[in-house]
Each structure stands twice: as structure tokens, then as C-alpha cells.
Amino acid sequence: QNRPFNAQNIADALGRHGIKKGMAQKHLDSLTEKGEISVEVGGKSQVWYKVQDPDGVLPDDVLKEMEADKKIKAARLAELNGDVAKRKARMMQMAKQLTTKQMNIKIEQLTSENAKMEEKLVPMRASKGTSVSASEMKKMEDEFVKNVELWGTRRRNFNDALGTIMDSTGQTKKKLGDELGFEWDDEKATEKLDTYKKTVDTIKRKRAIEARQKKFKRMVA
């Protein structure tokens, strides 16, 4: 390697061959006298380095030309890498899209669903319908909220009481229900209650927004 070195460096590198620092120093001095290597002395330290061949050093104008060419190629490489990244992103995006076959299947599915929905809308479109005032809508919403909350409260109270009985008797829910003749809500009923609760939450949020709007109008009036 073309880098400065001292006697200890040589001894460390060739120690497994029995070369000690003193012997390395002796050979370095000999090579220096022959002009094969150069030495720089700084106090008690000596550093050797390979004699540079003037014919092996490129002229400054050639080095500058090579440096400029290097920058041009680096810029071109960056440009190509950017183009590759864009193409990869495009390919990933296309991979997520449906194929023609999948699109045809999806279109058929949506067309079938749309036809079924249209059938359900026929009687509604044929009916003249009746208009509902805001006050009537509020009354219906209030009644709906009241009944849903009552359903949820009764269901929760019953389950709490049933849990207490099961803990005290050690009986299972099924066995206790069979003995007392209980009829349990099926999954559809439970799902309906959950859906109704979400509707109640929506009604309450709407009422809260309306109340804030009225309060704001009073403040700015």
C-alpha cells in the first residue's frame, strides 16, 4: 500500500516471519541508501514512504478533465436512478390495479347488486309518500332514542342479575335458562341493538351540533 510506514509497522506486519523492529530498521536504512524508498525524520521518529514515480503522476489538466467527467457521469447516474425509482413506483401502482378479467367480474357483481337495489326502490318510487315536519321528526327520534336506551338498560340489568344468580348457584347460563324458560336474543337481535345504538349516537351528535349552532346565533344576534 502506498502510505507512510515506520519500523514498527514493518515488524508488526512481518512478525510471524521472525522480523523484529531492529531488523526492520536495518533493512529500511539499506533500502533508503539504495534510493528505493524515502525517509522523513522528525526528532527521534522516522517515517518511510515509497518513492513516487514522476511518470506515473497524471498532469493537472488531465486530472481536472477526469474530475469533470466524473461529475457528469455522477449526475447522469443520479438521473437514471431517479428514472428507475419512478418506473418501480409505476409498476407497483399498476400491480395494485385490477386486471381486465377482475374488472369484468366486479362490473357484473355491481350490476347485479344495482339491479336488486332498483327492485327495492320500485314500490318506494311508486308511492306518493307523506311529508314529515321537523317537529314530528324530532318526536320520532326522541321515541326511538328512548326505546333503544330502555332496551339496552333492561338487557344490561338482566345480564347483571343473571350473572349474580349464576355465581351464587354455580349453574351455567344454558342450564339456568332451560329450567326457568328463558328465551335468549339471537345474534341478529344483538347486531340490531348495536346498530340502533350507533343511530342513537348519531342523533345525539346532531342534536349537540344544532344546540351549539343555536347558541352561536344568539351570541352574534
Side-chain angles (χ1 to χ4, degrees), residues 57-133:
V57 179
L58 295 174
D60 290 343
D61 57 340
V62 176
L63 291 174
K64 290 180 181 179
E65 183 179 350
M66 293 176 65
E67 187 66 25
D69 184 60
K70 176 183 174 183
K71 291 181 179 179
I72 293 173
K73 290 181 178 179
R76 178 56 179 164
L77 178 61
E79 181 181 351
L80 292 174
N81 286 336
D83 185 57
V84 171
K86 290 180 181 179
R87 290 176 182 271
K88 286 184 178 180
R90 177 61 178 166
M91 290 176 64
M92 291 178 63
Q93 184 179 4
M94 293 177 65
K96 295 179 181 179
Q97 295 178 354
L98 297 176
T99 63
T100 302
K101 182 178 180 180
Q102 291 173 331
M103 291 177 65
N104 290 333
I105 295 174
K106 190 66 176 179
I107 290 173
E108 292 179 1
Q109 179 185 349
L110 294 175
T111 301
S112 176
E113 292 178 359
N114 185 63
K116 293 179 181 179
M117 295 297 294
E118 286 290 337
E119 290 179 4
K120 294 180 180 180
L121 289 174
V122 170
M124 297 177 62
R125 288 170 175 168
S127 175
K128 295 181 179 180
T130 56
S131 59
V132 180
S133 64

